[in-house]
Amino acid sequence: MNSYIPHSDLNLVRSLRKSDHDAFEMLFKRYGQKLFMFSLSYLKEADQAEEIVQEVFLKVWTNRFSLKTGTSFQSYLFTIAFNSIKKSFNRKAKENQFRLELVDQLDDGRDCVEYENNFQLVLTKLDGFISEMPERRKEVFIRRKQHGIPVKQIAEEFGVSAKTVENQITEAMKYLKKRFEEELPGGLLFLSLFLEN
């Protein structure tokens, strides 16, 4: 491995294109920590930054045969990392959109403490009620309502008809309405959020 130490990225990438594990390890040691700190500066959480680094180098290894030797490898790495970070932000935004909308609907001028307590209570109850559903129904509901995945795509993923997916969502909504009516009538505000999607 010592023969690689003085080598440039260009030589290491050339070796990596031949599936050289040592070259891959050398590049990881050279850039892994830099990518981690770069990702951490955006994501603020170490575990998420580590996931970005792993994702970047997994992509490098997967695409090793088509790596270009005439461009900056460092720029290539950081471009992948930045795109992954943006996707992470977008994914979080979509998953949490229903919570942000719920905040707006619950904000009716009450004092901040009461508002925060009610908001957290509704979210806690919602998560609990969803967890009580049959596994398949729960998965379908979460993918459609929280992740915003189209019905057709969900149907293809589960190998069922779009009608079956719609029926599962309808049953899930009925169940949530019933549970909120039983335990937290005020929490029914959330239904309008889900029905929009």
Side-chain angles (χ1 to χ4, degrees), residues 44-108:
K44 309 303 181 186
E45 294 187 22
D47 58 339
Q48 293 182 16
E50 289 175 358
E51 288 180 8
I52 294 295
V53 174
Q54 293 173 5
E55 186 176 329
V56 169
F57 279 95
L58 175 60
K59 187 168 185 177
V60 167
W61 180 257
T62 301
N63 298 328
R64 63 190 182 280
F65 300 119
S66 58
L67 291 176
K68 297 180 180 179
T69 56
T71 58
S72 168
F73 184 69
Q74 176 172 301
S75 295
Y76 172 70
L77 289 179
F78 280 85
T79 297
I80 297 174
F82 187 64
N83 287 335
S84 295
I85 290 169
K86 286 195 295 184
K87 288 179 182 177
S88 177
F89 279 129
N90 291 337
R91 186 165 55 246
K92 286 181 182 178
K94 179 174 288 187
E95 291 174 357
N96 290 319
Q97 182 178 6
F98 78 106
R99 294 183 179 226
L100 296 175
E101 292 175 349
L102 182 56
V103 170
D104 291 336
Q105 290 203 14
L106 287 176
D107 187 8
D108 59 2

Side-chain angles (χ1 to χ4, degrees), residues 29-184:
K29 289 180 178 179
R30 183 174 292 181
Y31 290 110
Q33 186 62 21
K34 292 179 181 179
L35 285 171
F36 173 78
M37 296 307 297
F38 174 74
S39 302
L40 185 62
S41 69
Y42 283 95
L43 300 171
K44 309 303 181 186
E45 294 187 22
D47 58 339
Q48 293 182 16
E50 289 175 358
E51 288 180 8
I52 294 295
V53 174
Q54 293 173 5
E55 186 176 329
V56 169
F57 279 95
L58 175 60
K59 187 168 185 177
V60 167
W61 180 257
T62 301
N63 298 328
R64 63 190 182 280
F65 300 119
S66 58
L67 291 176
K68 297 180 180 179
T69 56
T71 58
S72 168
F73 184 69
Q74 176 172 301
S75 295
Y76 172 70
L77 289 179
F78 280 85
T79 297
I80 297 174
F82 187 64
N83 287 335
S84 295
I85 290 169
K86 286 195 295 184
K87 288 179 182 177
S88 177
F89 279 129
N90 291 337
R91 186 165 55 246
K92 286 181 182 178
K94 179 174 288 187
E95 291 174 357
N96 290 319
Q97 182 178 6
F98 78 106
R99 294 183 179 226
L100 296 175
E101 292 175 349
L102 182 56
V103 170
D104 291 336
Q105 290 203 14
L106 287 176
D107 187 8
D108 59 2
R110 289 171 296 186
D111 67 81
C112 293
V113 175
E114 181 187 356
Y115 163 71
E116 179 65 19
N117 289 339
N118 282 317
F119 173 55
Q120 292 300 331
L121 178 59
V122 171
L123 292 184
T124 298
K125 288 292 186 181
L126 175 59
D127 290 341
F129 296 156
I130 291 175
S131 70
E132 295 171 357
M133 296 181 191
E135 193 63 30
R136 175 59 65 87
R137 183 172 299 162
K138 177 173 64 177
E139 291 177 4
V140 168
F141 181 80
I142 289 174
R143 292 181 72 72
R144 176 69 189 116
K145 296 301 183 179
Q146 292 186 19
H147 296 214
I149 297 173
V151 169
K152 183 178 179 181
Q153 182 178 333
I154 297 173
E156 292 174 351
E157 291 176 359
F158 286 94
V160 297
S161 68
K163 185 64 176 177
T164 297
V165 171
E166 292 172 352
N167 288 340
Q168 288 284 0
I169 293 170
T170 298
E171 290 302 313
M173 291 296 297
K174 288 180 181 177
Y175 179 75
L176 288 176
K177 182 177 180 180
K178 175 176 177 290
R179 296 293 284 121
F180 266 101
E181 287 175 341
E182 292 172 348
E183 296 195 24
L184 194 69

